[in-house]
Amino acid sequence: MASSVFSWFLPLSANVLEDMLLRNSGKVMRNRGKEDRSDFRSSSLQRLLWCYCHHHCPEDSTNHSCRTDGYCFSMVEEEDGGGLVFTSGCLGLVGSQFQCRDTGNSHQRRALMCCTEQDYCNLNLHPTLPPPKPYSYVDSSIQYMVLSVMVTICSIILTLLIIFCYWRYRHQDWQPQYSTALEEEDETYIAPGESLKDLMEQSQSSGSGSGLPLLVQRTIAKQIHMVTQIGKGRYGEVWMGRWRGEKVAVKVFFTTEEASWFRETEIYQTVLMRHENILGFIAADIKGTGSWTQLYLITDYHENGSLYDYLKTTTLDSRTMQRLAYSSVSGLCHLHTEIFGTQGKPAIAHRDLKSKNILVKKNGMCCIADLGLAVKFISDTNEVDIPTNTRVGTKRYMAPEVLDESLNRAHFQSYIMADMYSFGLILWEIAQRCVSGGIVEEYQLPYYDLVPTDPSYEDMREVVCNKRRRPSFPNRWSSDESLRQMRKLMSECWAHSPASRLTALRVKKTLAKMSECQDIKL
């Protein structure tokens, strides 16, 4: 715009330029503030002001110049098509003050600026349009009508949403465990002398293969007396409770973790799921009124707690180390294995395997727990059944392909191999607490020396994926045959490439062979 202004200014005659130079040397009346404006205007009656003109030049103008007893002005207007038109020229003294305050109307945007400081002062004026007023063309009554329609529509949508949520809550179509039969009959009769073991044996002999009948589960849940809280996690709390004098573990989920509760209940009640190395499921129930809800998952109680708790306080010999490892991988092997038949079991991947999710029984054997993130493989349709909950696994135990997001989510074997990476870290945790030569390390979590206490994805990705680091082996392991074999085993479990990792069945067979060799030596 500046270049065009100067190009318009070039045609000025020599006489005009001379006149400008004279005025610039001090012969031009200057504005000295608002208090001097009236004096200036009275003096302007004795002389005329030169102005630059463009698109608004009078007939007697020459070389884009005009003279006036009033103001020089520059103006910008917006055309109907959206283009801008710039105009400059002279305004007479009469009515000019009103015009200089005019900035357009509701149908056309316009900005005008005036000056009297010196000749051609409007060359330095660059008016800009004010921001457009949205919907200025809409009458206030129309605006009110539009707002009323929008409020009405939103109210209808909100009402329909509330009705749908209430209907969904009442029917619970997505929870096949709780059919209308439960509404008709709240509990079933359990003989006074029957224990949990008796009920489980009856269930097994009935051929259902998926735990206790639903009404029995609900009856047990109502009769449990909560004793003491024994744990707390991101999903909720764990309590030790009693049913007819027997200790049970009660996992109480937060209402925000309903998807995890449902998934874990569903997995535990899978046909042929019961196994000595998978936490024994007893019952599940939803308890509550209109104002509160509690989601219960009731399982066997193991006073030794998790493998994590056990290893922090207990040192191991070779036989105990192998028993913990073998029983853990036996549960994982059963989880991973698909059992074919009319009453078959799908293959299941855990997805959150860690020492805190493995429990230690009184006999020193382990069982796998916390199946809220598990995925199932539906072989009939070749599909992976992934839970809808938003929880993810534990960052410290995540496989490289999970950390760098290269895991193929449509391929079930990818989840199986990610479990095996995590299990390799668990083997390391177990082995470091095995005494050899009178020496044993303090319990530590995997990568304790490489990442912070609560590592981020970036921390783990840098160590595991970029640097390809793994937990280190103490020097003493080289002089102990059992620890040497365990080191080889865990290294093949946490290989960077998923295809290079051992399966749970192969680890189970290797550990069984290690135990046999040790028995022969003894």
Side-chain angles (χ1 to χ4, degrees), residues 20 33 85 125 200 202 215 256 277 289 308 327 378 438 443 455-456 489:
M20 289 175 59
V85 176
L125 297 181
M200 291 298 177
Q202 292 173 20
L215 290 177
T256 54
N277 300 122
T289 63
Y308 168 81
S327 56
I378 313 301
Y443 174 78
S456 64
L489 202 58

mmCIF file of all heavy atoms in Angstrom, residues 20 33 85 125 200 202 215 256 277 289 308 327 378 438 443 455-456 489:
data_model
loop_
_atom_site.group_PDB
_atom_site.id
_atom_site.type_symbol
_atom_site.label_atom_id
_atom_site.label_comp_id
_atom_site.label_asym_id
_atom_site.label_seq_id
_atom_site.Cartn_x
_atom_site.Cartn_y
_atom_site.Cartn_z
ATOM 1 N N MET A 20 5.377 22.833 -0.953
ATOM 2 C CA MET A 20 5.443 21.918 0.191
ATOM 3 C C MET A 20 6.688 22.151 1.019
ATOM 4 O O MET A 20 6.649 22.166 2.246
ATOM 5 C CB MET A 20 5.420 20.465 -0.287
ATOM 6 C CG MET A 20 4.092 20.008 -0.823
ATOM 7 S SD MET A 20 4.212 18.344 -1.480
ATOM 8 C CE MET A 20 4.742 17.488 -0.016
ATOM 9 N N GLY A 33 -2.496 21.014 20.066
ATOM 10 C CA GLY A 33 -3.364 20.422 21.088
ATOM 11 C C GLY A 33 -4.782 20.867 20.922
ATOM 12 O O GLY A 33 -5.094 21.728 20.098
ATOM 13 N N VAL A 85 -11.608 -0.628 -0.405
ATOM 14 C CA VAL A 85 -11.391 0.548 -1.261
ATOM 15 C C VAL A 85 -10.803 1.655 -0.390
ATOM 16 O O VAL A 85 -11.382 2.025 0.646
ATOM 17 C CB VAL A 85 -12.718 1.022 -1.906
ATOM 18 C CG1 VAL A 85 -12.485 2.302 -2.699
ATOM 19 C CG2 VAL A 85 -13.299 -0.048 -2.795
ATOM 20 N N LEU A 125 -1.846 8.823 6.952
ATOM 21 C CA LEU A 125 -3.006 8.242 7.627
ATOM 22 C C LEU A 125 -3.317 6.876 7.035
ATOM 23 O O LEU A 125 -3.428 6.755 5.810
ATOM 24 C CB LEU A 125 -4.224 9.162 7.490
ATOM 25 C CG LEU A 125 -4.107 10.540 8.137
ATOM 26 C CD1 LEU A 125 -5.397 11.317 7.941
ATOM 27 C CD2 LEU A 125 -3.794 10.411 9.617
ATOM 28 N N MET A 200 -17.691 -75.485 46.115
ATOM 29 C CA MET A 200 -16.878 -75.573 44.907
ATOM 30 C C MET A 200 -16.908 -76.987 44.334
ATOM 31 O O MET A 200 -17.009 -77.178 43.121
ATOM 32 C CB MET A 200 -15.432 -75.152 45.215
ATOM 33 C CG MET A 200 -15.265 -73.676 45.521
ATOM 34 S SD MET A 200 -15.751 -72.653 44.124
ATOM 35 C CE MET A 200 -15.518 -71.016 44.845
ATOM 36 N N GLN A 202 -19.277 -79.192 44.640
ATOM 37 C CA GLN A 202 -20.591 -79.399 44.042
ATOM 38 C C GLN A 202 -20.670 -78.743 42.667
ATOM 39 O O GLN A 202 -21.223 -79.296 41.719
ATOM 40 C CB GLN A 202 -21.683 -78.820 44.945
ATOM 41 C CG GLN A 202 -21.869 -79.558 46.263
ATOM 42 C CD GLN A 202 -22.837 -78.846 47.187
ATOM 43 O OE1 GLN A 202 -23.640 -78.028 46.738
ATOM 44 N NE2 GLN A 202 -22.767 -79.144 48.474
ATOM 45 N N LEU A 215 -26.852 -67.206 41.928
ATOM 46 C CA LEU A 215 -27.612 -66.930 43.145
ATOM 47 C C LEU A 215 -26.808 -67.292 44.388
ATOM 48 O O LEU A 215 -26.909 -66.627 45.421
ATOM 49 C CB LEU A 215 -28.940 -67.684 43.118
ATOM 50 C CG LEU A 215 -29.968 -67.173 42.094
ATOM 51 C CD1 LEU A 215 -31.214 -68.044 42.117
ATOM 52 C CD2 LEU A 215 -30.336 -65.728 42.388
ATOM 53 N N THR A 256 -15.862 -45.847 39.459
ATOM 54 C CA THR A 256 -15.258 -45.458 38.182
ATOM 55 C C THR A 256 -14.566 -46.629 37.504
ATOM 56 O O THR A 256 -14.215 -46.545 36.328
ATOM 57 C CB THR A 256 -14.241 -44.330 38.396
ATOM 58 O OG1 THR A 256 -13.289 -44.729 39.387
ATOM 59 C CG2 THR A 256 -14.939 -43.053 38.858
ATOM 60 N N ASN A 277 -3.091 -72.635 40.142
ATOM 61 C CA ASN A 277 -2.155 -71.512 40.085
ATOM 62 C C ASN A 277 -2.782 -70.243 39.522
ATOM 63 O O ASN A 277 -2.084 -69.346 39.045
ATOM 64 C CB ASN A 277 -0.916 -71.905 39.263
ATOM 65 C CG ASN A 277 -0.183 -73.089 39.861
ATOM 66 O OD1 ASN A 277 -0.005 -74.119 39.199
ATOM 67 N ND2 ASN A 277 0.210 -72.976 41.136
ATOM 68 N N THR A 289 -27.641 -48.927 46.876
ATOM 69 C CA THR A 289 -28.971 -48.345 46.773
ATOM 70 C C THR A 289 -28.921 -47.301 45.673
ATOM 71 O O THR A 289 -27.989 -47.274 44.872
ATOM 72 C CB THR A 289 -29.369 -47.691 48.109
ATOM 73 O OG1 THR A 289 -28.460 -46.610 48.375
ATOM 74 C CG2 THR A 289 -29.300 -48.691 49.248
ATOM 75 N N TYR A 308 5.470 -59.775 45.506
ATOM 76 C CA TYR A 308 6.245 -58.566 45.816
ATOM 77 C C TYR A 308 6.454 -58.441 47.327
ATOM 78 O O TYR A 308 7.571 -58.234 47.800
ATOM 79 C CB TYR A 308 5.503 -57.352 45.251
ATOM 80 C CG TYR A 308 6.005 -56.017 45.726
ATOM 81 C CD1 TYR A 308 7.129 -55.429 45.155
ATOM 82 C CD2 TYR A 308 5.335 -55.321 46.737
ATOM 83 C CE1 TYR A 308 7.587 -54.188 45.585
ATOM 84 C CE2 TYR A 308 5.787 -54.079 47.172
ATOM 85 C CZ TYR A 308 6.909 -53.525 46.599
ATOM 86 O OH TYR A 308 7.352 -52.311 47.020
ATOM 87 N N SER A 327 5.397 -72.580 39.714
ATOM 88 C CA SER A 327 3.962 -72.426 39.965
ATOM 89 C C SER A 327 3.413 -71.176 39.268
ATOM 90 O O SER A 327 2.283 -71.170 38.777
ATOM 91 C CB SER A 327 3.685 -72.373 41.467
ATOM 92 O OG SER A 327 4.423 -71.335 42.088
ATOM 93 N N ILE A 378 -10.954 -65.230 20.516
ATOM 94 C CA ILE A 378 -12.124 -65.974 20.063
ATOM 95 C C ILE A 378 -11.744 -66.686 18.773
ATOM 96 O O ILE A 378 -11.733 -66.089 17.695
ATOM 97 C CB ILE A 378 -13.327 -65.035 19.831
ATOM 98 C CG1 ILE A 378 -13.506 -64.087 21.022
ATOM 99 C CG2 ILE A 378 -14.594 -65.832 19.569
ATOM 100 C CD1 ILE A 378 -13.722 -64.781 22.348
ATOM 101 N N GLY A 438 26.177 -67.911 50.645
ATOM 102 C CA GLY A 438 25.917 -67.060 51.801
ATOM 103 C C GLY A 438 25.631 -65.612 51.442
ATOM 104 O O GLY A 438 25.557 -64.760 52.333
ATOM 105 N N TYR A 443 15.950 -56.888 48.118
ATOM 106 C CA TYR A 443 14.926 -56.900 47.070
ATOM 107 C C TYR A 443 14.869 -55.542 46.358
ATOM 108 O O TYR A 443 14.895 -54.493 46.985
ATOM 109 C CB TYR A 443 13.532 -57.215 47.637
ATOM 110 C CG TYR A 443 12.466 -57.073 46.588
ATOM 111 C CD1 TYR A 443 12.265 -58.064 45.646
ATOM 112 C CD2 TYR A 443 11.696 -55.912 46.497
ATOM 113 C CE1 TYR A 443 11.321 -57.927 44.640
ATOM 114 C CE2 TYR A 443 10.749 -55.764 45.500
ATOM 115 C CZ TYR A 443 10.569 -56.767 44.569
ATOM 116 O OH TYR A 443 9.648 -56.628 43.574
ATOM 117 N N PRO A 455 8.482 -44.267 37.127
ATOM 118 C CA PRO A 455 8.971 -43.871 35.798
ATOM 119 C C PRO A 455 7.840 -43.489 34.853
ATOM 120 O O PRO A 455 6.726 -43.997 34.950
ATOM 121 C CB PRO A 455 9.691 -45.136 35.314
ATOM 122 C CG PRO A 455 9.003 -46.256 36.022
ATOM 123 C CD PRO A 455 8.620 -45.715 37.370
ATOM 124 N N SER A 456 8.142 -42.605 33.926
ATOM 125 C CA SER A 456 7.194 -42.218 32.886
ATOM 126 C C SER A 456 7.382 -43.131 31.676
ATOM 127 O O SER A 456 8.330 -43.931 31.603
ATOM 128 C CB SER A 456 7.433 -40.766 32.473
ATOM 129 O OG SER A 456 8.717 -40.635 31.881
ATOM 130 N N LEU A 489 17.247 -68.349 31.233
ATOM 131 C CA LEU A 489 15.805 -68.442 31.007
ATOM 132 C C LEU A 489 15.170 -67.050 30.919
ATOM 133 O O LEU A 489 14.403 -66.761 29.993
ATOM 134 C CB LEU A 489 15.174 -69.241 32.158
ATOM 135 C CG LEU A 489 13.818 -69.906 31.922
ATOM 136 C CD1 LEU A 489 13.882 -70.862 30.758
ATOM 137 C CD2 LEU A 489 13.374 -70.633 33.179
#
